[in-house]
Amino acid sequence: MLAVENLDVVYEDVILVLKSVTLEIPSGEIVALLGANGAGKTTVLRAITGLLDIHRGSITRGRVTLDGMRIDHLDAPGTVAAGIGQVMEGRRILAELTVEENLRIGAHTAARDAVGAGLERVYGLFPVLAQRRTQVAGYLSGGEQQMLAIGRALMAQPRYLLLDEPSLGLAPRMVQQIKELIVEINEQGTAVLLVEQNAAMALSVARHGYVLETGKIVMDKPAEELRADDDIREFYLGLADEGAVSFRDIKHYKRRKRWLS
Ligand SMILES: Nc1ncnc2c1ncn2[C@@H]1O[C@H](COP(=O)(O)OP(=O)(O)OP(=O)(O)O)[C@@H](O)[C@H]1O
Ligand SMILES: [Mg+2]
């Protein structure tokens, strides 16, 4: 179990962006973390993966644990070694290197003899990457680059994979493909924390979901219940009227709905 407990995070000692955030990713499961722009989703991932300090952020209260052991003191390579892989927002592949070179970089913490097995797994999951292994990564399509970024994270054989908005900017067909791949990766035994604004996609694969609003967890429910929740449906599943999607959070949306009726 990977757990975040009562976490407060500040940036540059002043701005409190996470307020007592608690969430759990049980071993082997898919968990969704939903929220609007600026809610703090990426900050949660940075707190888990030891990347807060390079963004001048820090944990001021609470802790992050892996199987009960604190990991919030670890730096980024330390969290990878502990079994946590992540795909950052915006993919961040190395455009001038080939597909296979990108993948090998992902394996730099793995034992040398694990690299072959890692490549085999990744090429099995993403045949298109196998076809393009000697091509320069910058020439891949957006969806293929997302696959490469996920593949690179898998090369270190993580037990937990954190994905920051993997569907962002992709065409519906590619989103569907990424979704199927997430399910397959999970079936191979990797737990997934799926950060998404595409709630429909995330809740269709997750077992449990959390909704983050301006740094606070405001919903913590089985994905099935979130899918059935009217406010989630209207606000995050894009079923709301045009005007509503510009509101920052569900609370405002509900208030406005009451006011209009
Ligand atoms: N390095 C930083 N310094 C100061 N404030 C920051 C920093 N990084 C993020 N923030 C602020 O913290 C809040 C949460 O940001 P975060 O990136 O975690 O949100 P998010 O939910 O991932 O948003 P998005 O959907 O746009 O990616 C925002 O108000 C953002 O402006
Ligand atoms: Mg983000």
Side-chain angles (χ1 to χ4, degrees):
M1 164 103 73
L2 176 60
V4 170
E5 299 166 30
N6 303 312
L7 208 67
D8 285 358
V9 168
V10 300
Y11 282 117
E12 307 190 44
D13 297 328
V14 265
I15 320 158
L16 183 63
V17 286
L18 295 187
K19 300 153 199 161
S20 201
V21 167
T22 293
L23 53 89
E24 290 180 347
I25 304 117
S27 179
E29 287 194 10
I30 304 179
V31 171
L33 177 60
L34 312 174
N37 283 123
K41 304 179 298 297
T42 297
T43 302
V44 170
L45 298 188
R46 286 176 185 161
I48 297 173
T49 56
L51 286 171
L52 275 177
D53 48 354
I54 64 167
H55 295 278
R56 308 229 273 154
S58 53
I59 295 172
T60 53
R61 193 170 69 94
R63 51 188 214 150
V64 182
T65 62
L66 182 60
D67 299 331
M69 311 241 276
R70 284 189 79 146
I71 57 163
D72 41 77
H73 60 282
L74 297 178
D75 61 4
T79 64
V80 173
I84 299 169
Q86 77 153 336
V87 178
M88 286 189 281
E89 229 167 357
R91 311 196 257 275
R92 317 275 177 96
I93 53 133
L94 298 164
E96 325 78 63
L97 299 187
T98 67
V99 166
E100 187 149 315
E101 283 164 347
N102 268 275
L103 292 174
R104 286 181 181 278
I105 284 170
H108 71 278
T109 59
R112 187 162 296 195
D113 55 354
V115 176
L119 286 172
E120 204 171 308
R121 178 187 184 194
V122 171
Y123 289 146
L125 281 163
F126 310 99
V128 66
L129 296 183
Q131 283 161 22
R132 306 193 171 195
R133 64 176 77 187
T134 59
Q135 271 181 34
V136 167
Y139 292 147
L140 298 177
S141 73
E144 289 161 357
Q145 289 188 16
Q146 185 60 261
M147 291 178 189
L148 179 55
I150 295 172
R152 187 176 56 186
L154 289 175
M155 288 296 291
Q157 318 264 21
R159 284 175 53 218
Y160 294 86
L161 180 64
L162 317 183
L163 300 175
D164 200 349
E165 307 209 38
S167 78
L168 193 70
L170 301 183
R173 200 171 49 85
M174 193 49 82
V175 173
Q176 177 65 25
Q177 217 173 322
I178 295 284
K179 177 180 128 177
E180 286 164 12
L181 284 161
I182 290 169
V183 171
E184 200 174 337
I185 289 164
N186 176 248
E187 281 168 354
Q188 293 177 349
T190 310
V192 178
L193 176 58
L194 181 54
V195 166
E196 269 294 341
Q197 290 196 49
N198 185 338
M201 187 273 243
L203 293 177
S204 71
V205 295
R207 169 172 320 214
H208 198 90
Y210 296 89
V211 176
L212 195 59
E213 268 178 21
T214 50
K216 286 188 188 152
I217 298 286
V218 294
M219 289 196 198
D220 167 358
K221 289 182 177 172
E224 201 178 333
E225 284 178 37
L226 287 175
R227 279 199 299 272
D229 186 288
D230 279 345
D231 292 311
I232 293 281
R233 286 176 63 78
E234 291 182 43
F235 190 78
Y236 286 108
L237 305 191
L239 303 174
D241 54 284
E242 282 296 302
V245 289
S246 63
F247 293 123
R248 264 187 74 75
D249 60 44
I250 294 179
K251 250 181 300 178
H252 282 132
Y253 176 59
K254 279 190 196 162
R255 213 177 295 141
R256 159 101 179 190
K257 210 164 59 170
R258 269 202 306 277
W259 186 68
L260 288 174
S261 61

